[in-house]
Amino acid sequence: MGETKTVGYKDILKIANCRKLLFSNFINRFGDSIDAIAFTWLVYQLTGSSTWSAIIFGLNQLPGIVVLPLAGAWVEGKNKKKIIVYTDLLRGMVIAGFVVLYYLHLVNPYIMAGFTLLITAIESINEPAASAFVPEIVQGDYYTIMQSMKMTVAQVVNLIGMALGGVIIAAFGVGTAMLIDVATFFIGAFIITLIDYSKCKLQGASINEQDYMTKLQEGFKYIKGNTTVIYFCILAVLLNFVLSPVSALLTPLVSSVYMKDADFLSIIMVGQWGGAIIASLILPKLVSKISFDGAVGALGAIAGIGVIMLSRGALVKESMIFSIALGVGSMFVMGLSLSLLSGLLNVEFVKKVDSNYMARCSGAFNAVATASLPIGAFLVTVVTVKLNADSILLYTGVLGILIFGGIYFAKKANMGKEKNIDAKQSIREHQNKQEADASYPGAVG
């Protein structure tokens, strides 16, 4: 019997399409990481308000709730490559328009809110296309390794981008940082055009022939009847709902609790991306060795611990060394746990979902998950009237531990029950076999 070949990183790099996809991902992530620092810092710089930071964060998620499930059905059966290229170009042009307004001193919180809605709407068309595009290029064991490499590349670039983001803003200004993001969208789109799409595993012809409403209705029927996809949606909602305050309040936390500036924000983000890099490297080995259900509860609770650690900045604000140690350490814990959880969820999603429904399920899944973010941001906006950023994050971390710790022990208890049921079933089957043998005429008395 021949041995099963183990797929490795070298096997992925031998595939031209995979190399191009990884390089495009490298370019786009670099721009996004710089823009993440620039845009969030610009919001707080213009408003000086934690409330506005939470509002902009919530608006950034809002279009996805409506657009994602509709876009998923529209994308299904179409050329995913073209959709990715066009949406990347469009995002680059929109951000370029925002930069022009910034240099003309016409940007205010309302302008930022409008551009946030527009950019996110375009991203909501890009996401289901990108989610379905990768499985069309690589399948089977190659997909897990490809996802791991994408995560590694993304986190390494994010690490570089976040480290340089504060420096670029300080040296050249927010406008220059955002222009870099514009350039990366155009370059990334060009690289995607070079991918050979003719030999990829595409969807069945029947999907291509369906009209939009039929695709939409069948997609929702498939999701409704698939308990695994529903479970994934619930997990994503819980995770995003608990952790949305971190994204909404990170800049105000750095400024008002740690008493630091944009450079410090870049430094602590290094911890998050460092944890994510390690997670991406160990993901392929963990996929086959750990239970997904058990990992969800444990990793979610660990992320909650990281949030609590991050919230305690007031204890060390007088010391730069201790502030960096706490900030980097807490972000590392969150980056490691959340990246592992995200990677495991992506692999499980592709395993469990029919390829003919991938874009629609991906769109609906992302929409449901995203819906929790503006709700969480809205609650943060309300709570900021009464509580400071550090108190909100402290309670958020405790809530995360309770929720995901509960999931872990509930799944563990359920697994124990299933083992007992299997054991009892085996005993009954053995007893039935013995009784059948004893009643057989030829049996030895």
Side-chain angles (χ1 to χ4, degrees), residues 330-401:
S330 56
M331 295 299 282
F332 176 85
V333 170
M334 286 188 283
L336 178 65
S337 56
L338 294 178
S339 294
L340 282 175
L341 184 51
S342 175
L344 291 170
L345 185 56
N346 282 332
V347 172
E348 285 293 307
F349 192 87
V350 171
K351 286 181 179 178
K352 303 296 184 182
V353 176
D354 188 320
S355 61
N356 286 329
Y357 293 88
M358 184 61 66
R360 282 170 285 184
C361 284
S362 173
F365 169 75
N366 289 328
V368 172
T370 302
S372 59
L373 292 173
I375 295 174
F378 173 76
L379 292 177
V380 170
T381 303
V382 174
V383 176
T384 51
V385 178
K386 298 291 184 181
L387 296 174
N388 295 325
D390 52 345
S391 297
I392 295 173
L393 293 184
L394 173 62
Y395 298 140
T396 296
V398 172
L399 182 61
I401 293 173

Side-chain angles (χ1 to χ4, degrees), residues 278-331:
I278 294 176
S280 65
L281 292 174
I282 63 178
L283 177 64
K285 296 181 180 179
L286 288 180
V287 167
S288 59
K289 294 183 178 180
I290 63 174
S291 164
F292 174 74
D293 291 329
V296 166
L299 292 172
I302 292 171
I305 294 173
V307 176
I308 294 175
M309 292 168 55
L310 182 65
S311 72
R312 300 299 84 198
L315 300 176
V316 296
K317 65 181 181 181
E318 301 299 332
S319 170
M320 178 60 79
I321 294 176
F322 287 132
S323 293
I324 292 175
L326 180 62
V328 172
S330 56
M331 295 299 282

